[in-house]
Amino acid sequence: MSMTEVEVGTVPANPLDTLEDVLTANEWPFDRAAEDQLVVETSGRWCCYRMFFVWRVDLNALYFSCAFDTKVSSIKRSEMNDLLALANENLWFGHFEICSSDDAPMFRYTILTRGMRGLAVEQLEDLMDIAVGECDRFFPAFQFVLWGGRSAQDALNSAMLETVGEA
């Protein structure tokens, strides 16, 4: 690890300020309870998602999670963990996990910004678009395990099936 000189008084730009501008311009409701936290809810293809952003200036990092509007019962926890491991093998970006505080499946990612002057609007838009896209892609598999009683592998195979056309 290399150490670089840091100018005294240099504070990286807070990407939540940029994100707030993007959300306001798109008329998306959000809550900014603190300078370093922002929450926004959005609708996906299958359900609503709660996106949570936390800016850590000391780490130059933006933490992001996108939680599902569903809960994992203790009975299904083991099979869901197997499914999350299989789903994570199919991701290029971020990962899925189950939040221990509320048993909700979520997509998570952290962006390191050291050496950057801030995050571009396009990076923040891509982060949200990719998260909702991946959540929508795997939501049916989660439901197959939670409500359909399917195994993790069977649920993933069913959800990853590409359909052509419409009925």
Side-chain angles (χ1 to χ4, degrees):
M1 180 167 106
S2 68
M3 299 298 288
T4 58
E5 288 185 35
V6 177
E7 291 181 41
V8 176
T10 301
V11 177
N14 185 339
L16 298 184
D17 296 336
T18 303
L19 181 60
E20 188 173 332
D21 293 341
V22 170
L23 297 172
T24 300
N26 288 297
E27 298 180 354
W28 284 20
F30 64 90
D31 183 30
R32 181 104 182 244
E35 186 66 23
D36 61 348
Q37 297 178 12
L38 188 144
V39 178
V40 62
E41 291 191 17
T42 188
S43 296
R45 183 174 179 193
W46 308 106
C47 71
C48 291
Y49 302 114
R50 175 170 280 204
M51 293 187 232
F52 185 62
F53 299 83
V54 178
W55 171 240
R56 289 275 310 263
V57 69
D58 60 321
L59 297 176
N60 291 320
L62 179 66
Y63 165 88
F64 168 76
S65 66
C66 182
F68 290 74
D69 187 19
T70 191
K71 303 290 182 206
V72 178
S73 70
S74 59
I75 296 168
K76 300 288 184 174
R77 186 72 172 233
S78 177
E79 199 64 39
M80 276 296 290
N81 284 335
D82 290 346
L83 175 58
L84 295 178
L86 292 170
N88 285 337
E89 291 176 4
N90 290 280
L91 298 177
W92 278 52
F93 182 84
H95 69 276
F96 285 108
E97 65 183 49
I98 298 172
C99 180
S100 60
S101 65
D102 66 1
D103 297 320
M106 67 170 54
F107 176 88
R108 263 188 42 167
Y109 189 72
T110 300
I111 300 174
L112 299 173
T113 64
R114 188 172 79 115
M116 300 168 64
R117 292 187 177 188
L119 290 174
V121 168
E122 294 83 5
Q123 289 173 296
L124 295 167
E125 289 173 338
D126 287 349
L127 175 63
M128 292 185 292
D129 287 345
I130 290 168
V132 170
E134 295 296 9
C135 290
D136 280 346
R137 180 167 75 133
F138 289 101
F139 184 84
F142 297 151
Q143 293 302 320
F144 288 153
V145 167
L146 293 174
W147 300 108
R150 312 252 310 269
S151 71
Q153 187 64 59
D154 187 34
L156 184 71
N157 290 343
S158 295
M160 298 300 287
L161 179 67
E162 293 290 329
T163 58
V164 177
E166 292 183 20

